Every structure is written in structure tokens, then in C-alpha cells.
Amino acid sequence: MSGAAGEARVVIDVQALQNPMHCDRGIGRYLRAHVDALLDAGAPVAAVVLNPDQPGPTSLPDRWVDAGLVRWNAPALAREMSAGADPFVYHITSPFEPAVPEDGVVVRHMLQAATAVVVTLYDVIPYVLPELYQRDDATRSFFRRRAGLVHVADAVLAISQHTRRDAIEHLGLAPARVHYIGSGPSAGVTGVTGATELAGAHLPSAVTRPFVLTVSGWGEPRKNPHATFAAYAALAPSVRADHQLVVVCAVPDEGRRAWRNELRDLGLDDDEVVIAGHVDDATLAALYAHTSLFVFTSRYEGFGLPALEAACAGAPVVTSDVSSLPEVIEHPLAHVPLDDAEALARRMAEVLTDRSTSETLRGASARAAQTHTWSAVANRTRVAYDAVTASTLRRASATAGSAGPNRIRAAIVGPFPPSKSGIATFNARLVAALETTADIDVFSEGGECRPSTRSSPAPRHRHFPVDAFGRVFGSCGYDATIYTIGNGYYHRRTLAAALRTPGIVWLHEVHLAGLYQSSAGLFLPGVEPGPVDIERARRVMADAVVRLHGPGARPLGDDDWWRTEAYDEHGYSFLSEVVASARGVIVSTAVAAEAVRALATSDVDVHIVPLPFPKLAPLPALAALAPPGAMWVVSLGWVDQIKQPEVLLRAIAAVRADGTDVRLAFVGELAPRTRTELDVVAAELGVTDVLIYTGFVTTDQYAEWLGRADVAVQLRATSRGEASAALNDAIAAGVPTVTNMANALELPPNVVEHIDATNGTALITELTTTLVRLLNDAPRREALSRAAVEHAASWRFDDLAARVLDIVAATSRQTPTAACRG
């Protein structure tokens, strides 16, 4: 939308329309009409934006959608708006939205990028009446925070002069920053006063004679319907016989019963008062147009929109004489003292029995309708925009060189050090690479994220516990949220977050039975489940099998339901749920991509991104842990039967029997049961004294073992498309490596020694032969080391980071307008 030359473009936050509590009430009605008025006036509205962490509104005006104005409030829009030289205003139309998480209301990227920030202030009721609205610590904290948002705004747009005065008095705002813009009527319920126009509208069936109308609120003390009830009851019986009282507002059954009891106590029969409840716009318009009198006894209003709507429909209006209400209808007959039921009853009787009084108030209503127009509101708003951008251009110029708003923003959710997970180390390296060119927030599962060594540089990213995502922070503040997911208990909360808030899912494994078992309470470190816990976990797994794999899937039986590998054997990947919730998926191999694409919808891109090779510091010089001439074979990473540690033990025993002095270290964590099983095999083979289990190691200790290794062996019994960060670590360190992993076949020749056998005697034999040859051939080890280091240099974490940011830029959110046409 174009405006006058030099006029600032405007981005208007309309997320109040996503709030079912008031999207069709005062705030929702006001902001719809306000935006329409600005468009009618030719204001340069560049976008109306929604909160991507909240459900989309059920409807939006077609003119907004057809003009392409409706956008998600995302960092990309802030960068787009701030890219040019022209100023832009960010207008928050509902600063007190109770949305969770709050960063979707107080949007950092817009606050940083905009030339000026403007908020609409409808009232300051919680600060004027704190005894009603700030009764506990939670509400007091909420209103303190939101007052802070109003304070940092460059301009505050008050919808009435009274709200402006209260904002200055109760919020301590500088008068020059608070601009009166006024209000207009809701288009959907005004402007239909004749019988012809109302032919298609129907009054509630309980309305059987002329009536007095009030629009009120249940459970809202300031709306004060009791004053209206008491005044109506005080009318002469003959007046009540000719006029019913009609009460419009959403009211629950218990409220209806309470009001009925109150009305009966006042001596009123049920047919005298019609509690209409919530009505649609057409019915409300009919009520406004046909009422003999509109009464509004509120104790406090930011403006008093129902009074203006009734006035615009031609009704005589009587209100309390407090807050902004005298501004709406500027005539002494239109106001009575607050809570003076007798005075209100006298005024009601005058209007209902004296044609002259009624016509006088109808004339006052007509003048109010001519005074309070949306065109006037739009003009005052544009004047405020111009004033605030002129005063803030100097500030914008001073901060134009700031890189922050112009960088991609991303959240990385998953395990980080000190979590005992290879993916934690991977994530730390990824973030270190990303944060050189992007703004990164880390949401860490399993412990506070921190630099991995004392020599690591201080991180530039912010970091928070994983549970803060979705509670304190949402996806609104990021171009993308990336969830890094593996098949273990270090990813339970990450999985829950990914299912709750869609983002890009980075699947390091594509069989997730172990993750679901740990989410059900099994295999948690230091936790011994009791019988009740086990039975619950069994039910959870049975439900997950059917939910994720279709009604034909059958839960596993007693011997299998707790075995992770049994789910793999039955073809239960537990992948469909997280893929269905994803906006995009990253995997490391073509095999994994094939598994994901079989489940993904056509609009979800699946990206194959090989694991990179870390750029390692020079490996340390180490004291020998073995006699001179002894050589070390290491196996890196979590020790599990799928990694075939028993095969490696038997091969080491055969190598030693061949005359080579070799030692074996399993460098990584292992379950006590796994260690017991391996100890039995080692004792049987006579290699217990040359075997070390390191358990979990720090980054520095890990580097020490890479420096000590003469050969690395990385085995896997079956491949489900996963890659191996441990294999890449060995290659990056230049450690000659032997592997039977399928993904290693994608490496160039001579980077690793690949063996074809995958299981059984054939694997033991081939592994033994390869180790004997390699351990006794120093030139061959040196050649493998050179080729490995050279290859590792071709794909580093910096290269990966650039690819990830390309994926982030290409992964768009679903359009917010699909279901929003009104």
C-alpha cells in the first residue's frame, strides 16, 4: 500500500485476532476497523502480521488477504523491512496479549529493526484498579512486564482522552509520547436503522415488546450490570410493563442462574429481563436499531465502544459519568452518577416516557456518530506515525550499521555438553560454526551448554534450558527452529518440543524406538523403574506402536516389548509422528532420506547433509600407557551390541595370537550389563589385561585417545541410514580406520580400510586379517592418515553451517492466510 511521499511504511501486529477470548469483542472489533480505516486512507501498510506460535484466526478480512498483506511475524520480514533506506513503523495493536510464550508479543526482531515502535493503548484499567486485576504475584509480574513494553514504545496511541490522561498519570509516560487517536464504531453492527435494512435480522424470540438494551459482561466487576438491574427494578411498574430489559453478553449457565436469582430478589419477573447471552453482529445491529434506550453503567471504559455503536444506530444513550464515557456522548442528559440507581431510574423514565428527552438524546447520538469516525482515527494515527518517525530517524541512522537484525536467527534444540552424547558434541561444534554468521539461541537438553574446554572461545550465543522453549521462548523469534534428534534418552524433551512447535528436524537416526522407550520411562540413567512404572511404559509403547504405525500394527509381546532392537526387527521405526510435524527434515545419508520421504508429505523437503569433519587441534603428546612397541586399537563412541564389541574383542585376541602386541580401548560410555558380558568374553579369550573401558570421557580426554590410537575400528551390525560422528572424528584426526559401516562406502578410496563382512565368523576373520596387515605396515597407516586428513579438510563444520543456513532460508512457514478468509 502506498502513502504520501516520505511516509513511513507500517507493519501492524494483529495477533489479538488469534485470541478466542476477544477476537470478536472490543479489541478485535477495534483493530479490524482501525486497519481498514488506515487502508481506506491510503496509509502505507506493508504487512499485517500474526503470531506463528498461536493458532491462526478463523477469519480475516478478504481485502487484507487479497492484497497480500497477511504475514507471519518472523525475522525475515524484519530484515526485509529494514533493508531499504525508508523508515518503517512497527505497530503493536494489543500489547497486553496473554500469549504464551511471551516473546511472540514482545518480538525482539521487530523491536530491533523498526525505525519506531508504536503501541495502541485501549485502557490502563489494571493499573487504575489493581485491587481487581493485580491480585497475585503472577498478575502483578505480568502487568509490570507489559508496562515495560509500553514504556519502550516510541509512541502510545490512546483511544480516548481519558485513557491518555490515565496513561500519563498511572504509567508515568511523558505526555509528548502519548497521542490521542480516538475510536469509531464497529462496521458490522452499525449503520442499519431502517426496517428495510433489518428485514433479514431477527430479534431474540424472548423480546416481545419495546425494550431497554445494555451490553455488559459476566465476571467483570467494572461492567457493573447490577446498577442497571437495580435502576430497571426501580422504574414504575407501568413503565416496566411497556419495556423489557435486554442484556447482551456471553454468560455461562452459572452466571445466568446467579443473575436470575438477583433479578428475582429485586422483584422482577423472568419475562421482564431477557438475558440474550452472546449474539451475532446482525442480531446486535437489530437490537441497537430497535431499542428505546441504550444504558451503559460501566465503572471504567477505555472508550465505551458499545455506547458509540448504539449512538451510530440512532439510539438514545445514557451512561455512567466516569472515565471516558462522557467523551462518547457529549450531552449532560446522557450521563448519570456512577452507582446512583435512583438517578439512573429517573433518567431512564424520562427517556422512555418523554418524547422530547428521547429526541434530545437521539440528536446527541447523531452528533457523536459524526464526531467519532474511523477516518478521523486514521488521520490522527498517520500524524502520530509521522511525528514519531521524524523524532526517531536519528536513532535509526545511528544503529543502521548493527548486524544483529540483518542476520538469520535460529534456535537449536537438543543435547549439548555436558550431556554424555555424541550429538551433544556435534551440536556444540555446529553452533560454534553457525554463530559466526547467524544469531543463535541454544535450548540445551541434559545440562547447561558451555564451551567444551578451557581453551574454547567464549560463545556468542544465548543458551537456555530446553524446557524454556515453548514456555518462555517460541518459534516466533526465529527464522527456524532446528531440533536435533537421536535414538536415546538425551532427546526426550527435544522430541516433545518438536511435536509441539513445528520446525526443522535433524534426524541423526531414523529408528527411534529407544527414544520412545526412554520417553515412556525406560532406560533412564540412575532410575530403576518399579512394577507400576514398567506397566505404564508397556502401555505407552503399545499405544505408540498403533498410533505411529497404523491400526494394523500390533504391540510386541512379553519377550520383546522392552527390547529396542525388537521394534527394528518388526519394522517399527517410530518416525512418522516427528516427520508429520516437521517443516523440513535433515538427514545424513541417502538411505535415511529414503525412509523419511516414504512418510513425509510432498511439501516437506528432505535434505541430505553429510556429517562434517571437525577441525581438531593438534593432538597432544602423551605418556605411554603400554610397554614400548605396544600398539593401541580404539573404538569410539557408545558401546552397544550393535557396534559389535565382541567381534572386535575376538579379533584382538587373534591379532595377539599372531604375534602383534596390541591393546584395545573402548572409548565411550557403556551400560553395566554390556560391560559384564564383554568381561566374560575377554576372560575367555585371555585379553582382560590388555583391555580398557574408559567410560564417558571429556573432550580433552577424547582427544588424548585419538592421539594415542594407532588404528581405530568402527563396526556396526546393521545400518539404518545413520552416519557416524565417531568415524568422522577418527578420519579428521588422521587415525587409520577400519570399518564395515555402509556409509563409509561413500568415502573416496584410501580414506579408510573398508571390510565387506557384517557379521559372524567371516567378519572376525576379515577384521583380524586387516588389523594384522595394517598394524604391521607403517607406510600404509601413514598413507591412510594423509588421505583421511586431506578428505576431512573438504567438508568442515563451516561448510555445514553455510548449508544449514541455506536450508533455513529455503524452509518457509505455511502461509497464514490459508484458513483466514472472512
Side-chain angles (χ1 to χ4, degrees):
M1 296 291 173
S2 60
E7 190 172 4
R9 299 159 299 154
V10 186
V11 173
I12 306 178
D13 185 316
V14 297
Q15 68 176 288
L17 299 181
Q18 297 171 264
N19 186 336
M21 297 299 294
H22 57 219
C23 60
D24 293 323
R25 296 172 60 191
I27 291 177
R29 290 181 184 278
Y30 186 99
L31 75 85
R32 283 175 187 259
H34 195 184
V35 173
D36 280 341
L38 288 168
L39 295 175
D40 290 340
V45 177
V48 292
V49 293
L50 300 169
N51 184 340
D53 286 326
Q54 303 299 321
T58 55
S59 67
L60 289 174
D62 285 349
R63 68 183 297 191
W64 302 2
V65 177
D66 293 340
L69 294 175
V70 182
R71 304 274 296 273
W72 290 123
N73 194 348
L77 177 60
R79 291 195 298 273
E80 177 185 322
M81 293 300 299
S82 61
D86 294 334
F88 89 91
V89 170
Y90 176 49
H91 185 171
I92 303 171
T93 60
S94 186
F96 291 87
E97 278 302 306
V100 176
E102 285 195 24
D103 70 333
V105 179
V106 186
V107 184
R108 182 165 59 116
H109 51 268
M110 283 296 183
L111 296 181
Q112 288 179 336
T115 309
V117 176
V118 172
V119 301
T120 299
L121 193 63
Y122 301 96
D123 58 67
V124 291
I125 294 170
Y127 307 93
V128 175
L129 304 172
E131 68 280 5
L132 296 179
Y133 297 95
Q134 298 191 51
R135 293 180 173 179
D136 52 48
D137 288 343
T139 53
R140 285 191 288 272
S141 175
F142 174 84
F143 285 113
R144 279 198 303 272
R145 294 193 304 274
R146 295 310 172 83
L149 172 60
V150 175
H151 270 277
V152 302
D154 298 291
V156 177
L157 309 184
I159 69 170
S160 68
Q161 293 286 9
H162 186 84
T163 293
R164 181 178 183 274
R165 290 191 295 270
D166 273 354
I168 294 167
E169 177 183 352
H170 292 278
L171 294 182
L173 298 176
R177 293 176 54 224
V178 189
H179 304 257
Y180 164 71
I181 60 169
S183 184
S186 298
V189 295
T190 56
V192 283
T193 57
T196 301
E197 291 91 337
L198 287 167
H202 301 284
L203 298 175
S205 59
V207 178
T208 57
R209 57 186 184 270
F211 59 91
V212 175
L213 175 66
T214 187
V215 174
S216 190
W218 164 257
E220 179 63 86
R222 67 182 175 85
K223 290 297 185 181
N224 194 25
H226 316 290
T228 302
F229 296 164
Y232 178 75
L235 291 173
S238 59
V239 177
R240 293 206 314 270
D242 291 337
H243 298 89
Q244 292 174 292
L245 174 64
V246 178
V247 184
V248 170
C249 73
V251 56
D253 290 342
E254 64 268 25
R256 192 179 293 271
R257 288 191 294 270
W259 276 355
R260 279 296 174 203
N261 290 334
E262 179 181 352
L263 293 166
R264 289 166 186 157
D265 289 344
L266 290 169
L268 297 171
D269 294 335
D270 288 357
D271 70 337
E272 290 186 276
V273 180
V274 178
I275 302 176
H278 174 75
V279 299
D280 59 28
D281 282 357
T283 301
L284 184 57
L287 288 167
Y288 280 145
H290 282 297
T291 189
S292 301
L293 169 64
F294 181 80
V295 175
F296 201 53
T297 53
S298 176
R299 300 179 187 278
Y300 190 106
E301 291 292 323
F303 178 80
L305 189 58
L308 178 59
E309 290 174 345
C312 290
V317 175
V318 173
T319 73
S320 307
D321 64 348
V322 295
S323 66
S324 62
L325 293 173
E327 296 178 43
V328 181
I329 313 295
E330 297 187 54
H331 194 285
L333 288 177
H335 317 127
V336 295
L338 178 66
D339 288 333
D340 190 337
E342 292 183 1
L344 178 58
R346 289 194 298 272
R347 187 62 44 81
M348 291 170 66
E350 288 180 57
V351 177
L352 296 174
T353 60
D354 180 12
R355 182 178 180 85
S356 173
T357 302
S358 175
E359 289 304 314
T360 297
L361 284 179
R362 289 186 190 277
S365 289
R367 290 189 295 276
Q370 294 173 348
T371 300
H372 302 290
T373 66
W374 282 112
S375 61
V377 172
N379 289 336
R380 295 188 197 107
T381 302
R382 296 178 76 178
V383 169
Y385 287 161
D386 289 344
V388 74
T389 51
S391 66
T392 55
L393 276 176
R394 182 176 302 171
R395 183 197 72 182
S397 176
T399 60
S402 173
N406 296 318
R407 290 155 57 103
I408 283 180
R409 299 179 186 270
I412 310 294
V413 185
F416 283 82
S419 291
K420 298 177 180 180
S421 163
I423 296 175
T425 301
F426 175 89
N427 284 345
R429 291 168 173 170
L430 172 64
V431 168
L434 283 171
E435 65 184 0
T436 62
T437 55
D439 291 333
I440 304 297
D441 283 350
V442 161
F443 294 89
S444 174
E445 179 163 3
E448 181 183 356
C449 177
R450 60 174 183 253
S452 57
T453 69
R454 285 173 293 179
S455 61
S456 299
R460 296 174 55 183
H461 60 268
R462 304 188 304 173
H463 59 264
F464 309 95
V466 66
D467 291 339
F469 191 80
R471 181 170 56 87
V472 179
F473 300 92
S475 68
C476 182
Y478 306 103
D479 291 280
T481 304
I482 300 175
Y483 302 98
T484 58
I485 293 179
N487 188 30
Y489 52 78
Y490 295 112
H491 306 271
R492 292 168 294 144
R493 291 181 175 86
T494 302
L495 173 65
L499 296 178
R500 185 173 58 244
T501 305
I504 298 172
V505 174
W506 195 323
L507 290 169
H508 287 271
E509 299 193 54
V510 291
H511 280 243
L512 302 178
L515 173 55
Y516 274 80
Q517 286 176 311
S518 65
S519 296
L522 296 181
F523 311 132
L524 303 180
V527 177
E528 186 66 33
V532 173
D533 303 315
I534 291 173
E535 182 55 33
R536 175 187 172 277
R538 179 174 182 151
R539 290 197 304 270
V540 168
M541 290 304 295
D543 291 343
V545 165
V546 176
R547 186 178 76 251
L548 273 65
H549 303 96
R554 301 182 62 180
L556 303 191
D558 292 343
D559 295 334
D560 285 335
W561 77 269
W562 57 272
R563 292 193 307 116
T564 302
E565 59 270 22
Y567 292 96
D568 297 341
E569 293 162 5
H570 284 77
Y572 296 151
S573 68
F574 292 83
L575 195 61
S576 61
E577 194 169 43
V578 71
V579 169
S581 70
R583 290 171 45 212
V585 179
I586 298 174
V587 293
S588 300
T589 68
V591 173
E594 184 178 350
V596 172
R597 287 184 179 124
L599 299 170
T601 58
S602 58
D603 61 339
V604 174
D605 290 329
V606 181
H607 307 273
I608 302 173
V609 182
L611 295 185
F613 299 92
K615 189 173 184 180
L616 301 174
L619 298 178
L622 301 170
L625 293 182
M631 307 185 76
W632 279 103
V633 170
V634 300
S635 179
L636 305 166
W638 176 265
V639 184
D640 185 83
Q641 291 302 329
I642 200 171
K643 305 287 188 65
Q644 301 176 293
E646 182 178 335
V647 167
L648 181 53
L649 270 178
R650 294 187 181 279
I652 289 296
V655 171
R656 288 182 62 80
D658 190 67
T660 303
D661 187 5
V662 64
R663 309 297 170 107
L664 173 63
F666 288 109
V667 182
E669 198 169 11
L670 75 168
R673 187 181 69 176
T674 303
R675 175 164 183 167
T676 299
E677 293 170 352
L678 292 177
D679 280 343
V680 170
V681 176
E684 171 195 325
L685 297 172
V687 295
T688 300
D689 59 335
V690 297
L691 172 63
I692 288 180
Y693 307 100
T694 69
F696 178 76
V697 293
T698 66
T699 301
D700 290 340
Q701 291 168 335
Y702 189 78
E704 289 175 2
W705 277 105
L706 285 172
R708 186 174 287 123
D710 295 286
V711 172
V713 176
Q714 301 299 123
L715 302 178
R716 198 168 185 97
T718 59
S719 174
R720 300 186 295 260
E722 61 284 295
S724 170
L727 175 64
N728 281 23
D729 288 342
I731 292 171
V735 179
T737 302
V738 181
T739 183
N740 67 346
M741 292 183 178
N743 65 295
L745 291 171
E746 301 174 11
L747 296 170
N750 297 325
V751 170
V752 297
E753 287 274 6
H754 192 274
I755 55 180
D756 295 328
T758 57
N759 285 287
T761 303
L763 175 58
I764 296 171
T765 300
E766 188 173 356
L767 178 58
T768 301
T769 301
T770 303
L771 284 175
V772 168
R773 184 178 70 249
L774 193 56
L775 290 168
N776 291 284
D777 187 349
R780 175 59 180 162
R781 295 198 305 275
E782 292 173 3
L784 282 171
S785 179
R786 286 194 301 271
V789 170
E790 182 179 343
H791 178 68
S794 68
W795 181 243
R796 297 293 195 190
F797 272 87
D798 289 344
D799 304 307
L800 174 71
R803 175 76 176 110
V804 169
L805 293 180
D806 286 343
I807 292 171
V808 167
T811 304
S812 60
R813 299 178 189 270
Q814 184 182 10
T815 171
T817 60
C820 298
R821 289 185 178 271

